[in-house]
Amino acid sequence: MSGAGFWEAVLGEIEKRLRRQQFETWFRSVGVLEATPERLRLAVPNRFFKEWLETYYVPVIKESATAVGGKSPRIDFEIESRPVAEVAPASSPAPSAEGAAVASAPPGDKTAGSLQPSFSPRYTFENFVVGPANRLCHAAALAVVEAPGRAYNPLFVHGGVGLGKTHLLHAASQAFLERNPQARLVYISCEEFVNDFVSAVQHGDLASFRRRLRDVDFLVIDDIHFLARAERTQEEFFHTFNTLYNAHKQIILSSDSPPAEIPTLEERLVSRFKWGLVARLDSPTYETRLAIVLNKASLRGYNVPGDVAEFVAHSVDTNIRELEGALTRVVGFAALSNRSLTLPLAQEALQEMLMARPSVSIEDIAKAVSVRFGVKLSDLQGRRRTKSVALPRQICMHIARKLTEYSLEEIGGFFGGRDHTTVLYADDKISRLLETDLGIRTTVGDIQSELSRAS
Ligand code: ADP
Ligand code: MG
């Protein structure tokens, strides 16, 4: 993939992580000057843009680039004086240099006025792959769209992260609006509900807050477990719920856990959440994962051979968001290295991804080794050179070389202020021992897998 192709893939990831308006406003007019997994040089139209992106969007760009390229790039924004051809659409004017038009809030700052987001065209029923782990939720969502307020009220969908809650809620909302274009639907994240309520209280504007939320036919609240942290808002939500419920208006809620397990949720809410149907999303089976990989590939126009799709589906069994990440990674890797997408290449790509997981610290390594060998942490970090300490210390250095990005100097520094040649020597010595000594190989292997499990 050329630099531009890599940037395209990164943009795709960024788009998934932002609200549509944010994406349109801030990323449509960003050009690319250089794009590799190590380095992104992006062209922006003016200084205001540059500062805004630097302040609010660097983390999301890094995260997205890591999803595609396997590592976190350095990012620079350069102001391009020429007018950028593709500016944001009329609905979201590009901000002016004076910073007057702040069209959308930065990520995380979801303020009022977003009750009917533009739904993602990707998050429809057609694009939702059904399998044993989500069949009930899917059927229930269809049913409430068919018979709102009558089939199941409320519909309470719960499941771990990345299992499709938001997708399903978007799908139901879109299908409901297609069938009932005149109806009033409110889709809101619980976080927005809480923020809007707090701000309504502050501005003495509760009446209009209530009108917006109670005068609706179909209320969808994503991530309702967020209410746990907002006691006062629970009371407000209780009344919202009662009003809608008594008027036979449909309510759909999603949560990361079942009602009774949401900490500090008032009992009267817990019991109301169970009045309708509580349905759980589980981790998808292998067959469903495979179907999802094929579905996503075709949606995005990727040509993915069957054995590669099977490999990806086998490799990631945690959740669907990670499954998509792995697919992106594999496709990106092929394009970046200008090779065709084959099974060996996919294996290489995902192996890198698993290795690239940061998060193991030198301390973690030292602790794991100290427990395993029964030596004190302070001895590993000290100057003593007796054999009983020297070998575990060398193992620490070897693992640190393998699992972290620290430099030789940093590793040496941590283990008693040793210089880089000592670290190189240790790394080399342990690598050779691993070839010949089964005991060491088992021990080091155990420590490494323990560390990667913990991270
Ligand atoms: P959650 O809200 O539970 O954290 P999301 O709804 O955001 O999860 O789903 C994460 C990603 O997985 C989304 O890109 C979504 O499209 C995809 N996904 C989840 N379930 C399915 C499914 N059954 N079929 C196709 N894609 C799915
Ligand atoms: Mg979600």
Side-chain angles (χ1 to χ4, degrees):
M1 170 161 26
S2 65
F6 179 65
W7 175 239
E8 277 302 308
V10 175
L11 266 185
E13 290 293 309
I14 294 175
E15 192 175 1
K16 282 196 240 156
R17 292 169 165 78
L18 297 182
R19 286 192 283 138
R20 164 102 59 107
Q21 161 116 83
Q22 293 175 325
F23 181 77
E24 294 291 338
T25 306
W26 298 106
F27 288 91
R28 274 294 168 227
S29 44
V30 170
V32 60
L33 302 169
E34 182 184 339
T36 66
E38 291 79 30
R39 180 97 203 272
L40 283 175
R41 272 175 60 227
L42 303 173
V44 296
N46 56 46
R47 205 167 60 98
F48 175 69
F49 239 92
K50 178 170 150 73
E51 283 169 7
W52 192 272
L53 285 167
E54 277 170 353
T55 310
Y56 295 112
Y57 288 96
V58 166
V60 83
I61 301 174
K62 288 206 158 164
E63 192 187 307
S64 305
T66 307
V68 180
K71 47 183 110 160
S72 177
R74 212 183 101 195
I75 301 178
D76 295 300
F77 298 99
E78 294 176 23
I79 298 168
E80 275 219 317
S81 43
R82 71 173 173 78
V84 180
E86 291 167 74
V87 286
S91 62
S92 50
S96 66
E98 299 78 52
V102 177
S104 68
D109 177 13
K110 297 179 177 169
T111 39
S114 43
L115 296 185
Q116 268 131 326
S118 34
F119 293 107
S120 168
R122 275 198 294 258
Y123 290 178
T124 59
F125 279 125
E126 290 79 66
N127 293 338
F128 191 83
V129 176
V130 182
N134 60 25
R135 182 163 286 123
L136 176 63
C137 287
H138 175 258
L142 280 176
V144 300
V145 168
E146 289 292 336
R150 285 179 289 131
Y152 308 110
N153 208 16
L155 171 59
F156 188 100
V157 172
H158 68 94
V161 65
L163 293 181
K165 300 182 294 295
T166 299
H167 186 142
L168 212 48
L169 264 47
H170 273 234
S173 304
Q174 302 193 72
F176 174 79
L177 279 178
E178 267 164 35
R179 271 157 229 236
N180 310 282
Q182 306 305 328
R184 287 153 304 178
L185 174 142
V186 166
Y187 180 107
I188 188 172
S189 74
C190 186
E191 191 180 351
E192 286 166 327
F193 182 89
V194 173
N195 290 344
D196 289 3
F197 172 67
V198 169
S199 117
V201 170
Q202 278 166 358
H203 296 102
D205 200 14
L206 265 179
S208 79
F209 172 83
R210 289 185 175 145
R211 240 186 344 269
R212 273 189 301 151
L213 282 148
R214 296 186 191 177
D215 188 17
V216 302
D217 302 309
F218 204 91
L219 175 68
V220 185
I221 304 191
D222 201 1
D223 294 328
I224 194 76
H225 52 268
F226 197 83
L227 265 190
R229 289 193 251 150
E231 270 172 52
R232 282 195 61 198
T233 319
Q234 292 193 21
E235 165 90 19
E236 180 65 23
F237 181 70
F238 176 74
H239 296 296
T240 306
F241 184 99
N242 290 343
T243 307
L244 294 178
Y245 185 86
N246 292 335
H248 305 286
K249 305 299 188 188
Q250 180 67 43
I251 301 164
I252 307 187
L253 307 169
S254 83
S255 162
D256 65 359
S257 42
E261 288 172 25
I262 302 176
T264 74
L265 187 68
E266 292 175 11
E267 192 44 47
R268 55 185 183 168
L269 281 175
V270 174
S271 69
R272 273 167 180 73
F273 289 172
K274 295 196 258 186
W275 280 354
L277 178 70
V278 175
R280 192 170 89 180
L281 285 169
D282 283 308
S283 293
T285 60
Y286 169 72
E287 285 74 19
T288 312
R289 298 200 301 274
L290 179 59
I292 290 173
V293 169
L294 294 170
N295 173 278
K296 300 280 169 191
S298 92
L299 274 177
R300 300 194 205 153
Y302 301 153
N303 193 1
V304 178
D307 57 351
V308 171
E310 285 167 16
F311 172 69
V312 171
H314 260 302
S315 308
V316 183
D317 58 6
T318 43
N319 70 55
I320 300 168
R321 189 166 302 146
E322 292 200 0
L323 186 65
E324 287 189 76
L327 174 66
T328 308
R329 170 93 182 109
V330 164
V331 172
F333 191 75
L336 262 177
S337 55
N338 249 320
R339 286 149 67 195
S340 49
L341 187 44
T342 58
L343 183 57
L345 177 129
Q347 285 164 337
E348 204 183 317
L350 289 197
Q351 189 184 2
E352 275 222 347
M353 181 178 83
L354 299 175
M355 309 261 300
R357 284 198 178 142
S359 62
V360 176
S361 69
I362 301 190
E363 284 89 341
D364 295 335
I365 296 171
K367 277 188 203 137
V369 170
S370 102
V371 170
R372 183 80 188 199
F373 284 87
V375 294
K376 286 200 217 121
L377 207 54
S378 56
D379 283 342
L380 288 175
Q381 293 193 265
R383 302 289 311 169
R384 277 178 53 207
R385 296 215 214 152
T386 50
K387 189 158 184 258
S388 63
V389 183
L391 182 72
R393 188 187 290 133
Q394 287 167 333
I395 289 179
C396 287
M397 293 179 177
H398 167 80
I399 297 178
R401 286 280 285 158
K402 241 182 123 181
L403 297 188
T404 75
E405 304 271 314
Y406 291 103
S407 68
L408 294 168
E409 284 75 15
E410 286 167 323
I411 296 171
F414 185 89
F415 293 104
R418 291 171 161 80
D419 69 12
H420 71 279
T421 53
T422 309
V423 179
L424 271 182
Y425 171 79
D427 186 25
D428 189 52
K429 176 180 158 188
I430 301 300
S431 300
R432 275 182 291 117
L433 270 179
L434 288 174
E435 308 266 325
T436 53
D437 187 325
L438 180 64
I440 297 267
R441 187 154 71 227
T442 315
T443 307
V444 172
D446 283 355
I447 295 170
Q448 284 188 180
S449 58
E450 183 187 314
L451 284 166
S452 25
R453 263 201 311 279
S455 67

